[in-house]
Amino acid sequence: MASASSVEPAYLPSSVQGAVKILVTGPFGVGKTTLVGALSEIDPLRTEETMTSAGEGVDDLTGRPHKATTTVALDFGRITLSDRLALYLFGTPGQQRFWPLWEDLSRGALGAIALVDARRLEESFDVLGLLEEQRIPFAVAVNVFPDTPAHPEAELRTALDLLPGVPILTCDVRDEDAAHRLLIDFVDHLRVGALELS
């Protein structure tokens, strides 16, 4: 058995000539880092730092008592779609104090998966507003936590003030198979949107 130090890094094949950039975004503590990790074929790059007393009174840990780290710049993962095309996943930080990075991270994105927590829908308004301002096509993905209430889609759409063309998907981002189905559904949404525009 090979030791960890002798494992070759997973370099991108030299035949890959194109890349697609997808944002994974949402408010603080919604599961963005977990989703990027579930989807990435490589060990994801994470810029997580331990939460400190500086975040007390700023970062609301209600319903997240065990959260000890937070993303301060980005998460990055990769999926090789074919021998010629790669998909790059960029997870954005959730807190407003890190949003100066958001515009740079979103530049060139084909679309975004906007994770929401149905227990705290109001936390998603600012992120959804940013996506709309930047005119980035997106899908809302409700991350299913153990105590997530079941809301009918029409209720969610009204509460989040979504346009009719924005799909609402659900996923437990800890489940790799479910995470991959979410990504497939999202890419299908982008493909249909591109066909409608052509």
Side-chain angles (χ1 to χ4, degrees), residues 15-174:
S15 59
V16 172
Q17 297 177 7
V20 175
K21 180 179 184 179
I22 300 293
L23 286 185
V24 176
T25 192
F28 169 70
V30 76
K32 301 177 296 292
T33 298
T34 302
L35 179 58
V36 171
L39 291 171
S40 181
E41 68 190 13
I42 59 171
D43 286 336
L45 167 69
R46 294 186 170 124
T47 59
E48 286 196 301
E49 293 294 334
T50 302
M51 296 182 69
T52 65
S53 58
E56 289 178 16
V58 178
D59 299 326
D60 183 2
L61 293 174
T62 304
R64 298 162 274 211
H66 305 295
K67 186 164 178 62
T69 61
T70 186
T71 300
V72 296
L74 71 126
D75 298 308
F76 174 79
R78 185 190 81 212
I79 303 171
T80 306
L81 298 175
S82 71
D83 60 353
R84 298 177 64 86
L85 183 64
L87 186 148
Y88 294 134
L89 301 162
F90 284 80
T92 67
Q95 295 103 314
Q96 285 189 345
R97 64 186 179 275
F98 299 125
W99 281 5
L101 299 166
W102 206 94
E103 190 171 338
D104 288 335
L105 289 175
S106 65
R107 191 172 292 120
L110 186 65
I113 296 172
L115 283 175
V116 303
D117 182 343
R119 302 168 300 177
R120 290 179 284 275
L121 289 175
E122 69 283 353
E123 294 180 359
S124 302
F125 297 159
D126 290 337
V127 171
L128 297 177
L130 283 171
L131 289 169
E132 289 173 353
E133 286 172 21
Q134 298 283 329
R135 299 185 180 207
I136 298 172
F138 68 94
V140 166
V142 178
N143 189 6
V144 180
F145 294 91
D147 59 343
T148 296
H151 295 295
E153 182 177 321
E155 269 183 33
L156 285 172
R157 186 171 298 282
T158 300
L160 294 171
D161 193 25
L162 298 175
L163 293 171
V166 176
I168 298 177
L169 311 169
T170 58
C171 179
D172 180 341
V173 299
R174 299 167 299 175

